[in-house]
Amino acid sequence: MDLSKYKNVTYLDHPLLKHKITKLRDKNTPTNEFRTIVKEIAFIEGYEALRDLPTHLREVETPIEKTMQPSVSRKGICFVPILRAGLGMEDGMLELVPGATCGHIGLYRNEETHEPVEYYCKLPDDIANRHIYLIDPMLATGGSACGAVDILRRHGAKQISFICIIAAPEGVARFCEAHPDIPLYVGALDRELNDKAYICPGLGDCGDRIFGTVNKPHS
Ligand code: PRP
Ligand code: URA
């Protein structure tokens, strides 16, 4: 897929990020390690996505003298993970901005249609005044990401960015065509979706792997 036609996409290609995503893909990576790596990746991707974070000047006194220096305000932002798997990225984002407000949107995919079903939503009242960083490791059909953006817009959100770890070309196309104005950060772009709408090669079901709900064979 030629990503250059989508001006809103930032493809992150740092070798350390690629290394961590490879570990996530490995079916032998255990739950504890998987969780840690998802969090670390969120930190790396979030660092890039928050590049335009506004700063204000505040006075600080060094051992030498008083000076006005930039400081980040946590007030104008809100992190919104899409449950469940997005929760795995929340702590990584919060390491970047520890005092940030978080909203939560619960969506699961209908197994037959693969379209998202909403089951939870809690967002701050002043969402219109915040930059919303929507987070979810997987962009497959794009249904969940687009559904979450619709919910955010319904609640008044104006400025949104979306951060994912692995994307399928189908999801990128659907998202970018629906929301060319929303910056999209992608850690890996995979080949295609299979007939169950899983990303290939992907990493399997991300929520199951983060929360250990996948059925493991008895050893
Ligand atoms: C996963 C993932 C995304 C969605 C992506 O969630 O975390 O939200 O699938 O697929 P899409 O782009 O085709 O919508 P899932 O529905 O499996 O729910 P879970 O996180 O609760 O397991
Ligand atoms: N959701 C996942 O967790 N994995 C996929 O491959 C697609 C959707």
Side-chain angles (χ1 to χ4, degrees):
M1 174 184 221
D2 177 15
L3 282 180
S4 65
K5 68 175 173 168
Y6 299 119
K7 302 293 175 223
N8 56 324
V9 177
T10 300
Y11 179 75
L12 300 155
D13 62 358
H14 196 290
L16 291 173
L17 175 65
K18 299 295 153 191
H19 177 81
K20 288 180 190 296
I21 294 175
T22 300
K23 281 197 187 168
L24 288 187
R25 295 184 189 281
D26 186 342
K27 67 176 186 179
N28 294 314
T29 298
T31 304
N32 58 347
E33 206 179 322
F34 192 92
R35 275 187 197 142
T36 302
I37 300 167
V38 168
K39 180 177 155 186
E40 290 169 351
I41 290 174
F43 184 93
I44 294 170
E45 293 198 20
Y47 188 80
E48 186 59 35
L50 291 164
R51 178 176 285 282
D52 295 330
L53 213 54
T55 56
H56 60 273
L57 291 178
R58 80 167 180 89
E59 188 180 86
V60 60
E61 190 167 359
T62 76
I64 311 297
E65 61 183 26
K66 284 186 181 168
T67 172
M68 297 298 283
Q69 295 295 329
S71 184
V72 162
S73 167
R74 63 183 167 81
K75 286 197 186 131
I77 63 176
C78 178
F79 301 143
V80 179
I82 302 178
L83 311 183
R84 286 179 302 167
L87 274 181
M89 297 175 73
E90 189 177 62
D91 281 352
M93 297 293 291
L94 284 172
E95 275 191 15
L96 289 162
V97 188
T101 295
C102 294
H104 296 90
I105 293 176
L107 297 175
Y108 69 87
R109 295 199 307 176
N110 176 295
E111 279 183 13
E112 271 145 38
T113 64
H114 305 134
E115 284 302 303
V117 180
E118 181 182 344
Y119 63 89
Y120 185 78
C121 180
K122 184 76 183 170
L123 298 166
D125 292 339
D126 57 352
I127 192 172
N129 303 324
R130 295 175 181 272
H131 187 146
I132 309 299
Y133 294 89
L134 186 63
I135 50 180
D136 190 328
M138 309 303 277
L139 178 64
T141 65
S144 302
C146 289
V149 168
D150 291 345
I151 294 167
L152 290 170
R153 294 263 198 241
R154 239 175 27 230
H155 283 79
K158 294 191 173 72
Q159 197 182 4
I160 305 171
S161 297
F162 180 59
I163 306 169
C164 68
I165 299 178
I166 300 184
E170 295 89 332
V172 173
R174 179 168 170 182
F175 188 86
C176 293
E177 274 152 33
H179 302 291
D181 55 323
I182 297 185
L184 166 62
Y185 295 86
V186 176
L189 179 65
D190 278 12
R191 194 180 64 247
E192 61 185 353
L193 296 177
N194 67 15
D195 59 1
K196 293 198 167 93
Y198 276 89
I199 301 175
C200 305
L203 52 72
D205 188 305
C206 196
D208 280 346
R209 294 199 63 192
I210 291 173
F211 294 103
T213 45
V214 64
N215 289 326
K216 293 183 187 128
H218 296 288
S219 52

